Amino acid sequence: MGTLYLVRHGQASLGAADYDQLSDLGLRQAVRLGEYFAGQGVRFDALIAGTLRRHTQTLAGILQGMGHQADHLPWAGLNEYDSEAVIAAIHPQPLVKPDTPELVRQHFRLLRDGLAAWMAGDTRPAGMPAYPDFVAGVTGALDHVRAQHYGRTVLVVTSGGPISTAVGQVLGTSPATTIELNLRLRNTSVTEFAFNPKRLSLVTFNTLPHLDAPGLRAAITYA
């Protein structure tokens, strides 16, 4: 069997002009995860990442923490959906930046409803693929890992949407359950699969072993 680690990016910049940028905490989360992997003796035979900045920055932080340098395979099919477009498809009125707890809650309520509509085929958010094409981008990456890296240890850095989609495809979850999995994923969380050329099996979901200490609880984030 091979081992596949799907890692969500570190904390990005929700509410800022450019979300697709790790915060200082997000970079520290990534470096800490790399230190954890190094401490456990984990070595990766292959590295794959989405092409968003927060993906490549997270991968760089992990490698920094491991004291390692290596090339990775960019995979655009692992990029996140556009949450603003998803929300605008059901709520075309402008929204203020989610910079208070209530506005953040409103953002995620609308996101949940927008995702449900997109997944059902009821909306086509601007600039985004249809949901089946989004799924195909994720499953294409999983198929590549199964076909090319059997018996190896693979790290994939991506976002909550692709990770929850991967879990949903493996477990056969409903769209509603896939959305809930998506919205519970934490920054730099690790989701582990065992795989062979024919199938993947879920081992763990959304774990934070590198932040499992009292002094690090404040570093657990969701956006």
Side-chain angles (χ1 to χ4, degrees), residues 134-154:
F134 178 83
V135 173
V138 176
T139 57
L142 300 179
D143 291 345
H144 168 82
V145 169
R146 288 190 297 104
Q148 301 298 324
H149 297 295
Y150 174 56
R152 298 176 177 175
T153 301
V154 180

Side-chain angles (χ1 to χ4, degrees), residues 27 49 63 72 79 105 109 157 161 187-188 190 192 201 220:
L27 178 58
L63 294 177
H72 75 279
N79 289 350
R105 286 191 291 270
R109 285 194 297 267
V157 179
N187 295 116
T188 62
V190 179
E192 180 184 344
S201 300
I220 298 175

Side-chain angles (χ1 to χ4, degrees), residues 27-111:
L27 178 58
R28 293 198 301 272
Q29 291 167 335
V31 172
R32 178 71 190 107
L33 178 56
E35 292 170 346
Y36 168 81
F37 282 141
Q40 295 297 307
V42 175
R43 292 292 181 268
F44 297 110
D45 302 302
L47 304 170
I48 305 173
T51 62
L52 300 176
R53 277 200 308 276
R54 58 189 183 271
H55 298 155
T56 56
Q57 289 171 351
T58 299
L59 177 57
I62 292 170
L63 294 177
Q64 177 184 333
M66 296 181 74
H68 183 61
Q69 291 184 342
D71 294 330
H72 75 279
L73 174 65
W75 197 284
L78 292 167
N79 289 350
E80 185 63 290
Y81 54 77
D82 183 341
S83 61
E84 291 185 0
V86 168
I87 291 172
I90 63 163
H91 190 282
Q93 297 82 9
L95 294 171
V96 298
K97 292 180 180 179
D99 54 6
T100 69
E102 178 51 38
L103 289 175
V104 169
R105 286 191 291 270
Q106 179 191 35
H107 171 86
F108 284 106
R109 285 194 297 267
L110 289 169
L111 180 58

Side-chain angles (χ1 to χ4, degrees), residues 177-206:
T177 299
T178 301
I179 291 169
E180 293 307 315
L181 292 172
N182 181 181
L183 298 182
R184 300 317 302 167
L185 278 157
R186 300 172 291 186
N187 295 116
T188 62
S189 64
V190 179
T191 295
E192 180 184 344
F193 292 92
F195 69 91
N196 61 33
K198 293 185 177 180
R199 65 192 296 260
L200 292 104
S201 300
L202 183 66
V203 177
T204 67
F205 173 71
N206 197 29

Side-chain angles (χ1 to χ4, degrees), residues 116-129:
W118 174 50
M119 294 168 77
D122 296 335
T123 61
R124 183 67 180 269
M128 282 178 45

